[in-house]
């Protein structure tokens, strides 16, 4: 395990991007930063710039306007990088694509059609504990594959 | 000669930016430090919900409409249910009406506390943000006990509410409110006295009463400009005529007044919840309605945490709506926001104040993204 993987494991810095979510997942992602869950004790910090981030936490169905942005943000992040898809609608389009029946015309069926995803956190919205587990799982995977 | 053409620069902010919690694009036109114009693009969250609603039944739509906005999901489903119920021409049982008020007010408290934290974060007062968000967990706990989920509650259904309350739950709600009230009062004191908050918010983002009316602002943004307007009082939709409450206004017309209005509204909501919990009528909580709605057109409006929320449904007699139209409070507040962000005469807007002004209307862009902006990538 090199020094970069070691740092990644000990302190994954996250970047949050909302690709068209209903805000339900976003406020749960922010909730993990606040005292009740307080992820800073585990070395997780929210960063404002893609260039400082190790883990990209994405919430919401990917809308057509946001799809170009998410790709650009992903490309701006330095390697090694991981992506966590939070929420059912980020994983598969959820209620918005509805398995193709009466789908919203402006959403992609899942984030993994745009960028590679390392962890999926289902739920609508998932509980903060679940989001935390998703982030810690990708951190543990650093350097393994 | 230096023409204004050379001095005015564009500063793009977003769609991914530390000061923005949601994707939106602000193109600020700046002259030195002063903002002289702004171009807004809030369409990144446009998903096409209104069109998709035409392909789903009334019951399926409940879950789609709920996800227009996760923060005010109770208000969204409430407005939708009120519209469908008035298509059927049916009233819902009184117990359900009171329970709807309880859910609505708890979600209002949650939304306002959430906003207070974000506003504190925007002015750089992160300690305050952490304290407020810790207390916000109380309301989330109450919501979870009431509906089964912390955020997306699905509490309102067509014809009533999903779950009944027990005595035990009622006393838990009472206890939670008792815990919350002194905390909110303390926050109010801090907001009134803390120098850094006063410095960053007083005189910032001025919206005169005349401008507020002219731009059709709604909700706390309008009430902070001294205009008394609240759908709950003007057009009671859920037994609000039997529940005593005051419409809160403030005359500051600035970001500070908007904080105060929201804090006072939290205290008012706590009183309303207490009233409903102690005078809950007995009886059923659900009135079953047929799957097909009669032909017709209806409108409904609700006072969501951010202001007036409006739904329109047109039915052709089938089990799916023919057209569903949603108009959200943030959308109504955007013209006011543009006016607040533009320097005019003696009123100057510094770039550093833009996040505070933006936060002061409590924007929710996932609600506001009702149209797609071409070339928004
Ligand atoms: S998963 Fe659910 S709560 Fe999360 S953004 Fe999607 S619709 Fe909202």
């Amino acid at each position: 395990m090199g020094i970069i993987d070691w740092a990644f494991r000990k302190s994954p810095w996250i970047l949050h991007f909302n690709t068209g979510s209903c805000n339900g997942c976003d406020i749960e992602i922010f909730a993990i930063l606040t005292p009740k869950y307080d992820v800073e004790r585990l070395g997780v910090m929210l960063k404002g710039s893609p260039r400082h981030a190790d883990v990209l936490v994405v919430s919401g169905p990917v809308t057509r306007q946001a799809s170009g942005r998410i790709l650009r943000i992903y490309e701006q992040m330095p390697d090694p990088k991981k992506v966590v898809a939070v929420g059912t609608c980020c994983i598969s389009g959820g209620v918005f694509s509805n398995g193709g029946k009466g789908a919203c015309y402006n959403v992609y069926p899942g984030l993994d059609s745009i960028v590679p995803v390392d962890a999926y956190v289902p739920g609508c919205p998932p509980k903060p504990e679940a989001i935390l587990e998703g982030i810690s799982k990708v951190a543990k995977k650093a350097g393994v594959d | 000669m230096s023409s204004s053409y050379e001095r005015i620069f564009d500063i793009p902010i977003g769609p991914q930016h530390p000061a923005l919690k949601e994707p939106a694009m602000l193109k600020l036109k700046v002259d030195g430090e002063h903002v002289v114009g702004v171009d807004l693009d809030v369409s990144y969250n446009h998903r096409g919900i209104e069109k998709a609603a035409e392909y789903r039944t009334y019951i399926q739509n409940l879950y789609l409409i709920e996800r227009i906005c996760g923060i005010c999901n109770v208000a969204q489903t409430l407005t939708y249910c009120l519209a469908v119920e008035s298509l059927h021409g049916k009233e819902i049982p009184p117990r359900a009406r009171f329970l709807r008020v309880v859910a609505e007010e708890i979600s209002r408290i949650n939304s306002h506390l959430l906003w207070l934290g974000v506003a504190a974060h925007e002015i750089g007062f992160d300690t305050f943000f952490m304290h407020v968000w810790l207390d916000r967990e109380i309301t989330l706990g109450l919501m979870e006990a009431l509906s089964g989920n912390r955020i997306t509650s699905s509490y309102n259904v067509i014809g009533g509410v999903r779950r009944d309350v027990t005595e035990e739950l009622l006393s838990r709600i009472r206890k939670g409110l008792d815990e919350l009230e002194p905390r909110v009062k303390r926050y109010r004191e801090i907001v009134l006295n803390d120098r850094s908050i006063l410095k960053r918010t007083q005189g910032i983002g001025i919206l005169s009463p005349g401008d507020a009316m002219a731009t059709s602002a709604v909700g706390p943004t309008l009430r902070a400009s001294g205009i008394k307007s609240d759908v709950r009082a003007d057009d009671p939709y859920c037994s609000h005529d039997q529940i005593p409450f005051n419409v809160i206004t403030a005359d500051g017309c600035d970001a500070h007044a908007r904080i105060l209005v929201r804090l006072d509204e939290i205290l008012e909501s706590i009183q309303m919840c207490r009233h409903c919990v102690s005078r809950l009528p007995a009886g059923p909580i659900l009135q079953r309605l047929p799957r097909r709605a009669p032909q017709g057109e209806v409108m409904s409006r609700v006072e969501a945490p951010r202001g007036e929320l409006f739904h329109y449904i047109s039915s052709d007699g089938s089990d799916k709506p023919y057209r569903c139209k949603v108009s959200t409070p943030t959308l109504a507040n955007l013209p006011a926001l543009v006016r607040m962000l533009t320097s005019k005469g003696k009123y100057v807007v510094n770039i550093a104040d833009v996040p505070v002004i933006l936060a002061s209307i409590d924007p929710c862009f996932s609600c506001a993204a009702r149209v797609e902006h071409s070339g928004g990538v």
Side-chain angles (χ1 to χ4, degrees):
Chain A
M1 188 165 63
I3 185 158
I4 293 180
D5 289 332
W6 173 80
F8 194 119
R9 276 189 175 196
K10 290 288 173 193
S11 175
W13 285 3
I14 62 172
L15 174 77
H16 166 227
F17 189 62
N18 168 335
T19 52
S21 98
C22 78
N23 275 336
C25 286
D26 304 59
I27 50 183
E28 291 294 56
I29 290 170
F30 279 105
I32 67 171
L33 304 166
T34 54
K36 188 165 179 195
Y37 301 97
D38 188 21
V39 288
E40 254 184 67
R41 73 201 147 101
L42 306 175
V44 180
M45 247 169 108
L46 185 69
K47 283 282 143 187
S49 161
R51 303 200 190 275
H52 296 165
D54 303 312
V55 180
L56 178 61
V57 179
V58 185
S59 58
V62 185
T63 61
R64 278 200 291 147
Q65 299 95 311
S67 62
R69 288 290 167 172
I70 186 80
L71 200 59
R72 213 149 110 190
I73 289 171
Y74 181 75
E75 281 163 1
Q76 283 175 353
M77 285 170 60
D79 273 324
K81 53 191 165 190
K82 301 277 181 196
V83 179
V84 179
V86 174
T88 310
C89 67
C90 191
I91 296 172
S92 66
V95 70
F96 301 111
S97 37
N98 200 21
K101 283 196 285 293
C104 293
Y105 54 76
N106 215 27
V107 303
Y108 283 98
L111 177 66
D112 44 13
S113 56
I114 316 272
V115 294
V117 178
D118 298 282
Y120 299 89
V121 185
C124 185
K127 291 196 105 182
E129 292 92 337
I131 301 175
L132 191 50
E133 180 167 12
I135 295 171
S136 66
K137 279 217 167 123
V138 293
K140 272 193 206 132
K141 253 171 60 180
V144 175
D145 51 18
Chain B
M1 199 187 96
S2 79
S3 67
S4 61
Y5 168 73
E6 291 164 344
R7 295 198 303 138
I8 293 182
F9 290 93
D10 276 356
I11 297 187
I13 297 181
Q16 196 276 328
H17 190 271
L20 296 172
K21 300 289 162 280
E22 289 175 86
M25 180 74 147
L26 274 90
K27 279 205 197 92
L28 302 177
K29 292 200 185 324
V30 296
D31 180 354
E33 266 293 302
H34 299 158
V35 182
V36 292
V38 56
D39 196 5
L40 272 174
D41 175 5
V42 295
S43 71
Y44 287 93
N45 279 14
H46 178 76
R47 289 152 288 183
I49 290 179
E50 286 171 20
K51 189 69 190 164
E54 293 166 18
Y55 296 100
R56 304 185 189 191
T57 63
Y58 286 103
I59 295 173
Q60 287 173 327
N61 274 334
L62 194 57
Y63 306 99
L64 185 64
I65 297 285
E66 181 169 32
R67 284 162 181 80
I68 291 176
C69 175
I71 303 174
C72 43
N73 66 75
V74 178
Q76 294 283 3
T77 48
L78 179 56
T79 325
Y80 174 76
C81 291
L82 286 173
V84 178
E85 283 149 16
S86 68
L87 259 182
H88 287 284
K90 286 272 165 47
E91 284 263 303
I92 66 162
R95 188 176 175 87
R97 281 210 295 270
F98 269 67
L99 285 176
R100 279 182 175 183
V101 175
V102 174
E104 194 199 358
E105 296 307 323
I106 290 179
S107 96
R108 189 186 315 278
I109 298 171
N110 173 20
S111 168
H112 282 353
L113 283 178
L114 183 148
W115 171 83
L116 182 62
V118 172
H121 175 70
E122 297 296 0
I123 61 180
F125 197 171
D126 266 354
T127 320
F128 197 43
F129 163 58
M130 293 292 177
H131 277 280
V132 173
W133 274 55
L134 182 59
D135 289 326
R136 192 182 76 101
E137 293 287 338
I138 301 175
T139 59
L140 290 178
L142 293 182
M143 205 60 194
E144 192 172 18
L146 186 67
S147 72
N149 203 350
R150 282 158 54 92
I151 310 274
T152 318
S153 60
S154 299
Y155 193 60
N156 298 310
V157 290
I158 297 166
V161 295
R162 184 176 305 280
R163 285 180 166 200
D164 207 350
V165 287
T166 56
E167 259 322 304
E168 195 190 333
L169 179 57
L170 290 180
S171 71
R172 181 160 167 206
I173 293 179
R174 257 184 235 122
K175 237 175 80 196
L177 297 174
D178 289 345
E179 210 177 318
L180 206 56
E181 195 175 13
R183 304 294 304 158
V184 176
K185 285 193 172 144
R186 171 91 183 104
Y187 294 145
R188 193 170 182 279
E189 240 169 67
I190 293 174
V191 168
L192 278 175
N193 297 316
D194 187 273
R195 268 191 45 214
S196 51
I197 294 184
L198 292 177
K199 273 237 152 81
R200 288 300 309 271
T201 57
Q202 261 181 344
I204 304 291
I206 300 230
L207 183 71
S208 68
D211 279 354
M213 290 302 271
T215 54
S216 315
V218 293
T221 312
L222 177 65
R223 291 195 284 274
S225 292
I227 293 163
K228 218 173 180 162
S229 156
D230 188 322
V231 183
R232 288 174 292 171
D234 306 340
D235 181 12
Y237 45 85
C238 258
S239 303
H240 285 105
D241 36 0
Q242 297 163 31
I243 302 164
F245 70 100
N246 301 317
V247 178
I248 307 286
T249 57
D251 314 313
C253 306
D254 55 4
H256 191 248
R258 281 169 221 134
I259 302 183
L260 284 182
V261 164
R262 292 198 174 93
L263 276 170
D264 286 336
E265 273 183 18
I266 297 177
L267 294 174
E268 208 59 38
S269 295
I270 292 177
Q271 295 307 340
M272 288 172 78
C273 272
R274 281 208 183 112
H275 180 94
C276 292
V277 164
S278 61
R279 289 187 186 68
L280 200 59
I285 56 162
L286 190 63
Q287 147 101 42
R288 291 219 174 264
L289 295 174
R291 284 170 61 91
R292 286 170 190 278
Q295 213 168 352
E297 281 182 314
V298 285
M299 286 171 249
S300 65
R301 47 190 200 138
V302 157
E303 185 72 23
R306 290 165 181 74
E308 180 188 306
L309 174 64
F310 171 90
H311 280 213
Y312 162 86
I313 294 178
S314 162
S315 157
D316 56 0
S318 69
D319 60 349
K320 298 184 177 107
Y322 178 71
R323 174 84 173 98
C324 199
K325 170 83 196 128
V326 178
S327 165
T328 59
T330 303
L331 195 65
N333 276 333
L334 288 180
L337 176 67
V338 170
R339 201 161 288 198
M340 281 185 243
L341 282 175
T342 315
S343 309
K344 205 165 113 194
K346 271 203 197 128
Y347 173 65
V348 292
V349 180
N350 290 315
I351 299 174
D353 293 331
V354 169
V356 179
I357 298 177
L358 183 65
S360 79
I361 69 157
D362 195 359
C364 173
F365 294 128
S366 65
C367 293
R370 309 259 45 99
V371 285
E372 183 184 1
H373 196 285
S374 58
V377 176

